[in-house]
Amino acid sequence: MTTTDETEKKPLWVGIEEKLLELNPGELSGQAKEAAIQKIVGELDNEGFNVSKSGGRMMQLRWAMDEMLKVGRPLMKDFNEAIAALSLEDVLNPYSATSNLIANLGETWKELKKVECRLDIIQIVQETRLDLLVKKAKEMSENESIRYLIGELLEREVIVEKLGITEEKLAEVEAEIAKEKAERERVAGLLEKVDGKSDEEKVKHLITNDVAEELILEMAAVDQATINNAKKAMEEEIKEQQRLAEEAAAKKKAEAAGPSLEDITPEDMIDHIDSIREIMEFSEVEKEIRTMCEQSAIPQCLVDIAVSDPDKLDELEKNAEG
């Protein structure tokens, strides 16, 4: 006799009912019935159940046979049909699904109301739930299917086996999920800082901190119009900031350049020209002249003249002297 892994996992009542399912109740009478029982005993013995050596197991088989003949069909026929009719929604809670299944079949099949049968049925329902989960997952893309089964809290080795993927692929998706979780935690922290603010202010804060629109919609609980309005407001603010920055830069440049020729007093004109001449005695290189003139706070207009048309300095000096 042999004992297989399947036999170790399969309860005797299931083994018996599976054998009875192969029979035609209408042909079992007299010697045919006894012959069928002996045939089943031999098959169960070969599968490791040792029915022939146990009076209790022999009686269990005979009672099951009598019940089948009384009802007119095998228990397993009704049981398999009930299992096949289960949807994923039906088995989300295996314990509740088991109670419903036993309640529906138990009036006809008293055997199913036994405590030991209930534990076996729970396992069968759990396996059915797993099959339905995997079936649904396989209708998705690879990454989505992995995410779905992870979300249903299936063990890693089960996911790898059922989806036929590698450990590396599973680890890759797990890393993506961990990254997304970390981002959600970051966004939650950002939202805490603007708690009590208007939706537009919250959205601005999240956009400024590089949060994706999809996550803003979900975690800030706003609509697309709010995001669009916030973006538009931010664009206008940026334009205004650029305008102010350009004005400030122009003002700074003008201040650095100093007054125009018309605004330089005769006295200052003479002093600046004297300073330029002293500088030009040290160097004839334009860059060096400009640097030294800038350090001496000489107006830009005079420096430009000095490096492009130095003879004009004499004319300016003469006009300043009157």
Side-chain angles (χ1 to χ4, degrees):
M1 297 183 187
T2 60
T3 302
T4 64
D5 291 340
E6 181 181 358
T7 301
E8 291 176 357
K9 295 178 182 178
K10 184 192 300 183
L12 176 59
W13 73 269
V14 173
I16 290 173
E17 295 299 340
E18 287 180 345
K19 297 300 179 183
L20 294 179
L21 183 62
E22 299 172 1
L23 303 177
N24 183 348
E27 298 177 356
L28 298 178
S29 60
Q31 293 299 318
K33 174 184 175 182
E34 188 59 31
I37 288 176
Q38 294 306 317
K39 179 176 180 294
I40 292 173
V41 169
E43 291 174 351
L44 291 174
D45 281 354
N46 287 333
E47 292 177 10
F49 286 106
N50 298 323
V51 174
S52 63
K53 296 183 178 182
S54 169
R57 294 181 181 182
M58 282 293 299
M59 291 304 300
Q60 186 175 346
L61 168 58
R62 291 185 180 278
W63 288 334
M65 171 77 79
D66 291 342
E67 194 67 19
M68 179 187 73
L69 295 176
K70 175 183 175 182
V71 175
R73 61 183 180 277
L75 179 158
M76 196 55 70
K77 179 178 185 298
D78 288 355
F79 186 81
N80 287 344
E81 289 176 355
I83 290 293
L86 293 173
S87 68
L88 184 55
E89 289 70 24
D90 294 330
V91 294
L92 291 179
N93 184 332
Y95 299 95
S96 176
T98 297
S99 296
N100 292 335
L101 191 149
I102 292 175
N104 292 334
L105 299 179
E107 291 305 313
T108 302
W109 305 103
K110 307 297 183 183
E111 174 80 8
L112 297 180
K113 292 186 176 182
K114 294 180 179 180
V115 174
E116 57 269 28
C117 288
R118 178 180 178 83
L119 297 176
D120 297 330
I121 295 170
I122 289 174
Q123 182 177 346
I124 293 171
V125 171
Q126 288 174 329
E127 291 170 355
T128 301
R129 175 179 178 271
L130 174 59
D131 291 341
L132 291 171
L133 287 173
V134 172
K135 179 181 178 182
K136 182 176 180 179
K138 288 184 175 181
E139 295 172 354
M140 306 174 184
S141 67
E142 185 176 57
N143 280 20
E144 288 176 340
S145 66
I146 297 171
R147 285 173 174 270
Y148 176 66
L149 295 186
I150 289 175
E152 292 295 333
L153 305 180
L154 267 63
E155 296 180 356
R156 299 183 82 257
E157 55 268 25
V158 173
I159 295 175
V160 169
E161 176 190 351
K162 295 296 184 179
L163 294 182
I165 60 174
T166 63
E167 286 278 354
E168 290 75 16
K169 181 60 182 179
L170 176 57
E172 176 188 318
V173 175
E174 288 174 330
E176 291 175 359
I177 293 174
K179 183 178 179 181
E180 291 167 5
K181 181 180 178 182
E183 175 64 2
R184 286 176 175 276
E185 291 174 354
R186 182 180 80 91
V187 174
L190 292 172
L191 284 170
E192 286 182 4
K193 294 180 180 179
V194 288
D195 186 39
K197 300 279 188 179
S198 68
D199 285 347
E200 187 170 305
E201 287 301 316
K202 290 178 182 178
V203 172
K204 286 181 180 179
H205 182 62
L206 296 181
I207 291 175
T208 302
N209 284 277
D210 300 320
V211 178
E213 277 194 23
E214 183 178 350
L215 209 50
I216 295 175
L217 288 168
E218 178 187 342
M219 296 191 67
V222 297
D223 55 23
Q224 188 63 49
T226 302
I227 293 179
N228 294 342
N229 291 338
K231 282 184 174 181
K232 183 177 180 180
M234 291 176 73
E235 289 174 0
E236 293 174 353
E237 289 170 4
I238 291 173
K239 287 180 181 178
E240 179 62 14
Q241 290 172 0
Q242 289 176 339
R243 186 186 68 78
L244 294 174
E246 290 170 358
E247 286 184 357
K251 182 179 179 182
K252 184 176 181 181
K253 183 177 179 181
E255 291 173 350
S260 62
L261 285 175
E262 294 77 10
D263 295 330
I264 302 175
T265 64
E267 293 79 5
D268 288 342
M269 179 71 75
I270 293 171
D271 289 340
H272 289 319
I273 291 175
D274 287 342
S275 297
I276 292 172
R277 285 175 175 158
E278 290 178 5
I279 290 170
M280 295 180 73
E281 288 179 1
F282 285 101
S283 176
E284 295 180 354
V285 178
E286 179 179 341
K287 183 176 180 181
E288 294 178 354
I289 293 173
R290 287 185 178 279
T291 299
M292 288 186 282
C293 285
E294 181 180 344
Q295 293 171 347
S296 299
I298 297 172
Q300 186 69 46
C301 57
L302 285 177
V303 178
D304 291 339
I305 292 173
V307 297
S308 62
D309 188 8
D311 292 339
K312 191 174 181 180
L313 293 176
D314 294 336
E315 179 183 342
L316 294 173
E317 184 180 34
K318 182 178 179 181
N319 292 336
E321 291 174 343

